[in-house]
Amino acid sequence: AKGPQFMSEVEFTIQASGSGQVWYDMSSVEGVSGGITMNYTDDRGQTQTDVAVPGRFQGNMLKVVDAPGIGFKTVLSDKNVLGACTCNSWDKNSPECNSDACFAGCPGPLVDDACGQHRCRLFYAARYQDPSSYCGWLYAERAQTYCWAMDEWQCVDSTCGYGGIGQPKADCSSQLPPGAAANTYSCGHGTALPSGTPNQTFWNAGPGCVDKKVMGVPTNPAPPRHGGRIAISFETLPWLHE
């Protein structure tokens, strides 16, 4: 079954009080159909708040449209604007796998491969630099939300951890260690990570990506659970309906 389409949404997992955490995030991976605020207040009175109530976008790259086949007003994300990805098995040299549609949606064949996911990250690193793009707009509006599937980390620059001294080659020809985690090695989330060559490491001078934070709040907060309550507010964005 398909999940929610073309809309803003909230995802959360609540673990046992006193021994677990409250994992949650607000997602605009499908689109922006309204504003959302989410709070977790524990029994000690400590509150963690996430807010994604963006103002209207600027420029002509984005549009308010009717959600395809459904009808409510929304601003579609890049993955829902740039078409379908036809990559069934990752190949760094295949045109079918190296399209904007594939980078925007970053489906399994790409996201499960360090090079494939890296190229998704390169695509979005460029998008973030343009405030008229979908991710650039939400970031400029300080919306504490995902704008694409792997948005919990953000590239430190336009190269996203590849091509520099002590980094994997930009063309993905460097050997990675067996079992290298695709997400970690897609951008260098960490330092001095093992390479595929004995006694050599990557990202000694610093990471290629870091945890994304908007006004100090991570994309996927996980405060400790101590009883308490969650409050979720869905807010109308008047400019969506003008």
Side-chain angles (χ1 to χ4, degrees):
K2 291 184 177 180
Q5 291 182 288
F6 315 127
M7 64 176 65
S8 311
E9 54 192 279
V10 174
E11 305 165 339
F12 57 90
T13 300
I14 301 174
Q15 296 177 322
S17 181
S19 61
Q21 294 167 284
V22 178
W23 302 83
Y24 69 94
D25 62 74
M26 295 185 294
S27 176
S28 303
V29 172
E30 286 286 321
V32 171
S33 59
I36 303 176
T37 298
M38 185 168 180
N39 303 290
Y40 168 60
T41 303
D42 66 21
D43 285 343
R44 304 170 183 179
Q46 296 178 321
T47 299
Q48 168 77 56
T49 301
D50 261 28
V51 180
V53 187
R56 188 178 180 89
F57 50 81
Q58 303 297 315
N60 57 11
M61 182 179 291
L62 303 175
K63 294 179 173 60
V64 176
V65 299
D66 295 331
I70 304 174
F72 57 81
K73 295 297 182 182
T74 189
V75 180
L76 295 175
S77 64
D78 288 334
K79 67 170 281 191
N80 286 318
V81 170
L82 293 173
C85 175
T86 58
C87 177
N88 295 315
S89 179
W90 171 250
D91 180 341
K92 67 179 182 180
N93 299 313
S94 166
E96 289 77 14
C97 294
N98 288 276
S99 66
D100 282 354
C102 287
F103 300 151
C106 210
L110 279 76
V111 82
D112 292 337
D113 183 275
C115 180
Q117 191 179 138
H118 171 70
R119 291 186 180 170
C120 297
R121 293 190 182 281
L122 284 179
F123 174 85
Y124 280 106
R127 288 301 224 230
Y128 264 111
Q129 297 306 308
D130 182 356
S132 67
S133 73
Y134 185 76
C135 285
W137 161 55
L138 289 173
Y139 195 62
E141 288 294 317
R142 299 182 176 181
Q144 294 161 336
T145 182
Y146 279 75
C147 70
W148 72 286
M150 306 300 288
D151 198 28
E152 61 269 16
W153 298 345
Q154 200 167 24
C155 300
V156 300
D157 59 30
S158 61
T159 69
C160 209
Y162 276 49
I165 297 173
Q167 297 178 344
K169 293 181 180 178
D171 64 1
C172 296
S173 61
S174 298
Q175 186 175 356
L176 302 181
N183 56 347
T184 300
Y185 279 81
S186 70
C187 56
H189 189 258
T191 57
L193 300 175
S195 72
T197 302
N199 303 316
Q200 291 186 14
T201 54
F202 288 137
W203 300 294
N204 296 315
C209 61
V210 294
D211 293 348
K212 176 185 169 183
K213 292 186 178 181
V214 177
M215 297 180 67
V217 177
T219 311
N220 51 350
R225 168 111 192 269
H226 296 288
R229 65 187 183 90
I230 284 177
I232 304 172
S233 302
F234 297 92
E235 305 181 32
T236 299
L237 300 177
W239 56 265
L240 261 180
H241 306 279
E242 292 175 350

